[in-house]
Amino acid sequence: MCRNIKTLFNFEPPASEDEINASALQFVRKLSGFNKPSQANEAAFNRAVAEVSDAARRLLASLHTTAPARDREVEAEKARERSRLRFG
């Protein structure tokens, strides 16, 4: 899994369109191996990003949980702490 793709489910506030699109872009970049596609591949690349965004949006809308929503700031601080422990 691409490390730059972040969990988007069960956060308050919910994932924004920008976050969903950024996640889809990272996923398509990982699959294709392109950071920026050539002109010949640009249409297919952009179509894939749009389709993955749509699928992600539908997935997030259909998921259910009884767990309380997580706070983005608390989760970000936990990630920073893990990074400090791992990298010093």
Side-chain angles (χ1 to χ4, degrees):
M1 172 140 166
C2 186
R3 290 183 180 154
N4 293 336
I5 299 175
K6 296 179 174 72
T7 301
L8 299 178
F9 177 63
N10 197 28
F11 278 99
E12 194 56 47
S16 68
E17 283 298 312
D18 287 342
E19 289 173 310
I20 293 170
N21 290 334
S23 181
L25 176 61
Q26 287 297 324
F27 182 72
V28 173
R29 283 177 173 169
K30 186 69 167 188
L31 286 178
S32 68
F34 299 140
N35 190 33
K36 182 171 175 17
S38 66
Q39 284 184 331
N41 293 319
E42 189 171 14
F45 186 90
N46 291 339
R47 185 173 50 253
V49 171
E51 290 172 359
V52 171
S53 291
D54 290 343
R57 199 174 303 103
R58 285 192 307 272
L59 173 65
L60 292 172
S62 67
L63 295 174
H64 301 280
T65 184
T66 58
R70 296 176 281 181
D71 182 279
R72 292 180 186 283
E73 285 303 314
V74 170
E75 295 301 319
E77 183 54 40
K78 287 180 188 178
R80 285 190 288 273
E81 182 60 27
R82 284 191 304 269
S83 180
R84 277 193 288 273
L85 292 173
R86 183 174 180 193
F87 300 111

